[in-house]
Amino acid sequence: ISKHTRSLAKELVKRLTRLRHGNGKRAVVIYGAWTEQKENTMSVSSGPTVAFNIVRQDESFVGYNEVSKLAMLHRPPLQLRTGCFCNPGACQKALGLSDKDIHDNYVVSGHVCGDQIDIIQNRSTGAIRVSFGKDSIWEDLDALVTFIEKQFVNYSKDGSKPSINQLNKDALPQSHLQLSEMYVFPIKSCVAMRVKSWQISRKTGKLKYDREFALVDSSGSAMRMYSYPRMALIRPVIDLDAGLLIVSAPNCKDLVLRLDQFKDASDCGGSVKVCGNKCGGRIWGNRLATEWFSSFLGVQCWLARYSNNGEPFPCDNTAVKNRNSVAFSNEAPLMLLSEDSISTLNEVLSAQGQKLTTSMQFRPNLVVRNTLKRDFLRENSSPNMDKGKEILNGNGWNPEDSWSTVTIPDRDLKLIVVGQCARCSMVDYDPTTGMKGKTLRALADYRRQHGQIMFGIFLRAADDMHLTNKPADRTEYVLIEEGDMIGCSQHAQKDEDIQC
């Protein structure tokens, strides 16, 4: 067994050492006894484990968390151990960190063993480790080397890497954007309501009742579909005229709750955790509601509500107050996608032989259409090149990446882009069935930025409701409709925006 596993480790080291970027720079740094290996010898001190880090063409480190997350998306998944492997002293020595470096990492960045901070001041805080056992085979190491080469080795000689937004924007015609789809998610992670028209707050940018409710477990955390797939079968509907929340699910009697009934609201510890962040909230609904959701999902849970008639429930938790959250949303009140982005992803999925997807898979609030740009791109694409491969080579088209503001002029509404949406395994789950696919893996092939997989943009309101000279009849809520024309401005290199 020892000879077998050490032979595999030696072969891995040899192949990793030979990985070079197009400019001749090494792609992998090896640590430990294997760094002293000669081509055809095996040191007594060399064992069946190999510790290493991956470096880019400019010799900057790739974070080990980024490598680990992408490895888990590989099919079959690659299991890597990362960090300092419960041996901080050896880790410090291998990485060449001084005692002051270790101290500063903790004091300045708060880095401790086991956290997700893998790069501090362009230096790695840990490494990646591969271990071979009696059941390991040559195909295992080959899969790992192939994965590293595909994901991290850049063979261009000038150090450049194709960008997902390298299309010549000057050659594009003027935008003709239209709001094509609109969704409200009354209960977080459950089925969306497709709406033709809906009220949106000029103050926050939140669609009325969007993610107003969440199901929470016994720890106070908001439940998510990737942990509880049956949430994809829970269909909440807001009846504005009757003032009701109506919840349905297969083989269950509809649960009907009044939106204006707050006497059953109770304290849930002052906060609800959403993706690790705390939001204010209260347990809401009567005993019947708790039994209904708990029975259907097969786990004890409660329905929580964020606000009382539009005003957040009071909260004693300082961290929650400072977060400035809007309902049970992850990072911002609104998420927007373009149909062009979905089309680009479907080209990749098609090239990989995977099932195509729809905007619903990404749980956006707003979906915009631009038929003029889509026709332009179709007419100017390479007819003899496989479209999916063209996208993976850096010719994808996600127009919203460059936007800084979004407006609906006819509704006197202005929204500000606060960042791109970092995706997790939630997008792998079909929102209608809860079945898992491989969407995140396809996105990782061309939408990866600094360890995160970006798709879609977050928006919030420009928040000018406080202005003293605003029109007297300008209310906080305004009605927007599918079919409304959309305006946007793009980020420019200088301190000015380009209208589109």
Side-chain angles (χ1 to χ4, degrees), residues 482-497:
E482 289 186 355
D484 281 347
M485 298 306 296
I486 304 292
C488 72
S489 59
Q490 294 182 342
H491 292 293
Q493 293 183 351
K494 297 181 180 180
D495 295 332
E496 57 185 13
D497 286 335

Side-chain angles (χ1 to χ4, degrees), residues 41 61 79 184 206 216 263 357 367 388 399 476 490:
T41 62
F61 283 98
Q79 295 184 350
V184 177
K206 174 182 174 291
V216 298
K263 67 178 182 178
T357 187
V367 180
E476 177 183 346
Q490 294 182 342

Side-chain angles (χ1 to χ4, degrees), residues 241-441:
D241 294 332
L244 300 175
L245 169 64
I246 305 170
V247 189
S248 60
N251 303 316
C252 291
K253 183 180 179 180
D254 287 358
L255 175 67
V256 181
L257 301 170
R258 290 200 59 82
L259 293 169
D260 59 359
Q261 186 171 336
F262 291 93
K263 67 178 182 178
D264 295 318
S266 60
D267 188 15
C268 59
S271 65
V272 174
K273 286 179 283 186
V274 178
C275 292
N277 296 313
K278 293 183 177 181
C279 308
R282 290 289 185 274
I283 299 299
W284 189 80
N286 50 29
R287 179 177 56 83
L288 180 63
T290 299
E291 293 177 350
W292 193 97
F293 288 108
S294 299
S295 175
F296 183 74
L297 294 176
V299 62
Q300 186 68 36
C301 59
W302 296 263
L303 182 66
R305 187 169 186 177
Y306 178 78
S307 67
N308 181 349
N309 290 326
E311 291 298 323
F313 282 114
C315 180
D316 297 330
N317 191 306
T318 302
V320 176
K321 292 178 180 178
N322 293 338
R323 183 173 176 259
N324 194 29
S325 58
V326 178
F328 295 123
S329 56
N330 289 0
E331 296 183 44
L334 281 176
M335 206 280 282
L336 178 147
L337 267 179
S338 70
E339 289 186 0
D340 290 311
S341 299
I342 299 295
S343 297
T344 298
L345 173 59
N346 278 331
E347 297 283 2
V348 175
L349 289 169
S350 178
Q352 296 177 348
Q354 302 297 328
K355 179 182 177 181
L356 302 187
T357 187
T358 67
S359 60
M360 281 289 292
Q361 192 110 357
F362 304 93
R363 308 181 73 78
N365 295 112
L366 309 177
V367 180
V368 297
R369 172 183 299 149
N370 188 339
T371 57
L372 196 59
K373 274 186 180 175
R374 185 164 48 201
D375 292 341
F376 176 87
L377 292 172
R378 186 182 296 114
E379 294 170 2
N380 290 273
S381 61
S382 304
N384 297 321
M385 179 180 288
D386 179 85
K387 186 62 177 176
K389 293 180 179 178
E390 182 181 349
I391 292 166
L392 295 177
N393 285 333
N395 294 322
W397 173 245
N398 283 38
E400 62 268 28
D401 292 341
S402 62
W403 297 352
S404 60
T405 63
V406 174
T407 60
I408 304 181
D410 291 344
R411 310 293 179 178
D412 192 21
L413 179 68
K414 181 178 181 180
L415 304 167
I416 297 174
V417 178
V418 295
Q420 296 188 41
C421 180
R423 296 299 181 167
C424 64
S425 59
M426 184 81 166
V427 302
D428 279 338
Y429 291 85
D430 188 314
T432 60
T433 65
M435 299 298 291
K436 188 176 182 181
K438 299 179 180 179
T439 306
L440 189 64
R441 179 186 175 190

Side-chain angles (χ1 to χ4, degrees), residues 53-54 56 60-69 82 116-119 124-126 128 152 450-451:
N53 266 318
I54 299 173
R56 301 183 181 88
S60 63
F61 283 98
V62 176
Y64 52 77
N65 280 321
E66 176 179 354
V67 179
S68 179
K69 291 175 182 177
T82 59
Q116 299 295 304
I117 303 176
D118 50 12
I119 301 291
S124 181
T125 62
I128 303 159
F152 301 104
H450 305 296

Side-chain angles (χ1 to χ4, degrees), residues 29-85:
V29 178
I30 307 290
Y31 302 111
W34 284 110
T35 60
E36 302 171 0
Q37 283 300 123
K38 303 296 182 182
E39 184 71 17
N40 296 310
T41 62
M42 187 180 297
S43 169
V44 175
S45 61
S46 302
T49 61
V50 180
F52 62 94
N53 266 318
I54 299 173
V55 293
R56 301 183 181 88
Q57 200 167 21
D58 61 1
E59 299 187 303
S60 63
F61 283 98
V62 176
Y64 52 77
N65 280 321
E66 176 179 354
V67 179
S68 179
K69 291 175 182 177
L70 290 174
M72 290 302 297
L73 293 175
H74 188 271
R75 291 294 178 271
L78 300 171
Q79 295 184 350
L80 307 175
R81 188 174 180 184
T82 59
C84 278
F85 325 118

